[in-house]
Amino acid sequence: MPFWVPEWSAPVNRFFQRIVGLAVVLIVALAAGLLWWGIAVTDPPSMWQPAHVTLSGIWDVVYNTQLPDLGVLAVALGIALILVLFVVVGERVVANRYRRAGVEVTRLTLAPQTVMARTRGVFAGEVTVTVLIPAHNEQASLPHTLTSLREQTLAPLRVLVVADNCTDRTVEVARAHGADVFETVDNAHKKGGALNQALTDLLPSMGDNDCVLVMDADSQIGTGFIAEATRRLTDDRALMAVGGLFEGEEGHGLLGQFQRNEYTRYRREISRRDGRVFVLTGTASVFRASALRAVADARGRDLPGKAGEVYDTAALTEDNELTIAIKSLGGLTVSPKGCTVITELMPTWRMLWAQRLRWQRGALENLGAYGVTPQTMRYWAQQIAIGYGVIALFAYFALLLLMVLAMDTWVWFPFWLCIGLLFAVERMVTAWRGGWRARVLALLIFPELVYDCFLNLAFLKGVVEIAFGRRATWKHVQHAPEEVAS
C-alpha cells in the first residue's frame, strides 16, 4: 500500500512536500560529487600539449588528440547503465506484480486480477464514451474541439461542456455546436473542482463499461481516437484508462518548433514502450467510470485528497496526480499510437515559463503527497534524472565559457567532436517525424540546448518555490480577439 501520510497528520505531509525538491537536488548533488571524486582520484594529467597544423597555408588549427581517462569513462558509463537497468527492471517488476497477483495477494481495488474476478460472467453492456470538456472562457477554441468530436469514426454517446466561471460566450457556443452544458456552481478549484462537480452528478448513473473521455477545450483528437480507445477497453476489461499521445499545433515560430520537437520525442518514447505511459495526458484521456469511482472512494484514506472527489484539487498537475492515483490502486493504463491529440502550444516565453513551472512543481508536489512507493519509484527516478541533467548541462556551458576566457586560441578536441556528432544525429533521428524544420533545428544542437536550459531553470524555480512554501498560480492562454469564433 502507498506510503501516504493520512489526513490527521497533514502538517507532516506538507513538510514532506516542501523538502521533496531539496531531496531530489541533494541526491543529484551527491551523485555529481561522486563523479567529481572519481575523476580526482584517477589523478588525470593536468598538462597537455595541443598540436598545431596549418590548413591550405592560411588556417591555423590547434587540436588535442588526448583521450579522457578511459577508466573514468568506463565507470561513468557502467553506473549510468546500472541506473537505467534498475529503473527499467523495477518498473516491469511492479507492473507484473499487480498484473499477475491474485485477489488473495493484493487488496488493490483496480488490480487486474481483482477486476477480472469481480466482473467475470457479468455483462455490463457495450463500452460507451461520454465526453467531458472543462472550459473557462474557451469560446475561441471550443468550436474546433467540438468539430473534432463530430468527425470521429465512432461517435461518443454524449458531449458535455463543463462551463466553469465563464464570462464570455462559451455556453452559447457549446450549445450552438450541439453539446450539452453543465455550469459549475461556486467552484474555486479550477479545472479539478469543475470536473469534480460534473463527475459527482454523472458517475452514479454509469456502469462498469461506461467510460468518460476528459479532454481540454483547446485540443482536437484524431478521427480514430474514440474508436481505438473503445476497442482497447472492450478487448481488455482489466484496462482502466486509455490516454492520448499529443502533438503540438502549427505556428508560433521558433518557440512553437521547440515545443513540437519536444512532443515528437515524447510520442516516440511512449510508442517504443508499447504505450506504457508516464502520465495520462489531461489533453485527452478515457477512463472507466468504475476506475474513477474507485479513486473517489479511496480519497482521504488510501489516496491524497478529499473523500468522494475524483480529482485532488490541491494538485497543480491533476493529470499526473490522477495517473499516480490509478496506478497506486493497481490499475492498468496505456497510450496507444492510434489515440492522437493536437494540443495548444504556449505562444510566448512568459506563458511557457508559467506552464512548465506548474508542471515541474506539480510533479514534485505529487511525489511529496504520495511518498516513496513501488508505483512512484519511476517518477522519483525521472525527477532525479532531470536534476542531474540540470547539473550536467550547466556544467557543460560553464566549462565552455571557462575555456574561451582562459585561452587565447581555440583548441579542437576530435574525441568530443565525435561525441557531439553522435548527439546531433540522435537529436535529428528522434525528431525525424516532425518534418524538415524539426530535423534542421535538432541538427543545430545549440538552440535546443538553450531551450533545455530554459526548462531546467523552471525546474530549479519550482524547487525553490516549494522549499519556501510559496503559492503557485495558474495561467490561462488568452486568445486574440480575431481568433474568437462567431
Side-chain angles (χ1 to χ4, degrees):
M1 294 300 292
F3 171 74
W4 175 66
V5 184
E7 193 173 12
W8 54 266
S9 56
V12 179
N13 192 23
R14 286 196 293 272
F15 172 76
F16 189 71
Q17 281 186 312
R18 290 185 63 172
I19 67 169
V20 66
L22 295 178
V24 170
V25 171
L26 181 61
I27 293 171
V28 169
L30 285 174
L34 280 175
L35 182 59
W36 184 278
W37 174 80
I39 295 173
V41 297
T42 56
D43 192 22
S46 56
M47 299 297 293
W48 46 276
Q49 297 294 327
H52 178 273
V53 66
T54 301
L55 300 178
S56 303
I58 56 174
W59 185 22
D60 291 332
V61 176
V62 181
Y63 65 98
N64 179 25
T65 58
Q66 180 180 325
L67 296 177
D69 187 280
L70 295 180
V72 173
L73 286 181
V75 171
L77 185 61
I79 292 175
L81 290 176
I82 290 172
L83 290 176
V84 169
L85 197 61
F86 172 78
V87 172
V88 172
V89 173
E91 186 180 28
R92 289 295 182 96
V93 168
V94 171
N96 290 335
R97 174 185 172 190
Y98 294 114
R99 185 175 290 116
R100 297 170 181 168
V103 181
E104 70 285 0
V105 175
T106 176
R107 295 187 296 112
L108 302 181
T109 54
L110 296 182
Q113 294 295 337
T114 305
V115 173
M116 298 294 278
R118 181 172 58 82
T119 60
R120 185 170 293 117
V122 178
F123 179 64
E126 302 293 335
V127 172
T128 67
V129 175
T130 295
V131 183
L132 289 189
I133 307 174
H136 171 68
N137 291 343
E138 298 285 0
Q139 64 174 11
S141 58
L142 191 57
H144 306 295
T145 304
L146 295 174
T147 298
S148 76
L149 289 169
R150 283 200 304 272
E151 294 174 347
Q152 291 295 300
T153 56
L154 179 64
L157 181 67
R158 182 188 182 195
V159 178
L160 186 63
V161 173
V162 183
D164 180 44
N165 296 317
C166 293
T167 56
D168 65 354
R169 298 173 53 241
T170 294
V171 173
E172 181 183 343
V173 169
R175 287 181 174 143
H177 286 78
D180 294 332
V181 176
F182 176 94
E183 295 189 64
T184 61
V185 179
D186 299 328
N187 175 45
H189 299 292
K190 307 295 182 183
K191 179 179 175 182
L195 287 170
N196 279 339
Q197 287 192 13
L199 289 168
T200 299
D201 184 67
L202 190 66
L203 285 179
S205 62
M206 303 185 84
D208 280 358
N209 277 347
D210 294 327
C211 301
V212 178
L213 165 58
V214 180
M215 68 178 296
D216 285 345
D218 53 20
S219 301
Q220 299 91 49
I221 58 177
T223 55
F225 188 109
I226 292 180
E228 176 65 11
T230 299
R231 184 183 71 79
R232 292 278 184 152
L233 291 162
T234 301
D235 292 346
D236 184 358
R237 67 178 191 272
L239 184 63
M240 291 294 107
V242 177
L245 285 179
F246 54 88
E247 56 187 280
E249 63 181 353
E250 288 298 319
H252 307 302
L254 181 62
L255 180 59
Q257 193 60 56
F258 281 135
Q259 296 173 77
R260 282 190 291 276
N261 280 18
E262 181 186 4
Y263 293 167
T264 298
R265 293 192 177 98
Y266 179 76
R267 286 187 61 189
R268 183 176 185 273
E269 183 179 358
I270 298 302
S271 296
R272 291 167 68 87
R273 288 166 49 87
D274 294 329
R276 294 190 305 277
V277 67
F278 306 120
V279 177
L280 293 164
T281 174
T283 55
S285 291
V286 183
F287 305 90
R288 284 192 193 272
S290 55
L292 298 180
R293 282 195 294 264
V295 169
D297 290 342
R299 295 281 186 206
R301 186 183 67 249
D302 299 325
L303 299 175
K306 293 181 181 178
E309 293 186 344
V310 172
Y311 286 88
D312 178 11
T313 54
L316 277 174
T317 48
E318 75 291 333
D319 49 358
N320 175 269
E321 197 280 336
L322 186 57
T323 305
I324 299 177
I326 291 174
K327 288 185 176 181
S328 295
L329 296 178
L332 297 181
T333 64
V334 69
S335 286
K337 289 189 290 186
C339 291
T340 59
V341 190
I342 297 176
T343 189
E344 182 182 55
L345 298 179
M346 295 299 102
T348 66
W349 288 98
R350 183 185 295 275
M351 293 301 300
L352 180 65
W353 174 266
Q355 181 199 54
R356 298 313 170 92
L357 181 59
R358 184 171 68 86
W359 286 6
Q360 295 288 4
R361 178 169 172 172
L364 290 170
E365 286 185 351
N366 290 338
L367 289 181
Y370 279 84
V372 181
T373 73
Q375 293 83 6
T376 60
M377 286 299 292
R378 181 64 177 79
Y379 298 91
W380 279 99
Q382 187 179 36
Q383 292 303 313
I384 290 171
I386 293 174
Y388 199 82
V390 171
I391 291 180
L393 189 55
F394 284 117
Y396 171 72
F397 280 115
L399 290 174
L400 275 183
L401 180 63
L402 184 64
M403 190 179 76
V404 170
L405 295 177
M407 302 180 68
D408 56 3
T409 186
W410 184 265
V411 180
W412 298 93
F413 296 86
F415 175 82
W416 293 111
L417 282 175
C418 291
I419 296 296
L421 182 60
L422 285 175
F423 187 60
V425 172
E426 186 272 341
R427 302 292 290 182
M428 187 178 67
V429 169
T430 53
W432 191 266
R433 292 175 61 89
W436 68 268
R437 286 178 296 184
R439 298 166 201 161
V440 170
L441 183 62
L443 195 60
L444 294 175
I445 298 183
F446 280 96
E448 286 199 314
L449 288 182
V450 173
Y451 175 73
D452 289 341
C453 284
F454 180 84
L455 302 185
N456 288 341
L457 288 174
F459 171 82
L460 291 176
K461 181 75 164 23
V463 170
V464 172
E465 286 196 348
I466 291 175
F468 287 94
R470 295 173 184 166
R471 286 182 64 86
T473 57
W474 278 64
K475 299 289 184 183
H476 184 76
V477 175
Q478 299 294 332
H479 295 277
E482 59 269 21
E483 294 177 339
V484 177
S486 60

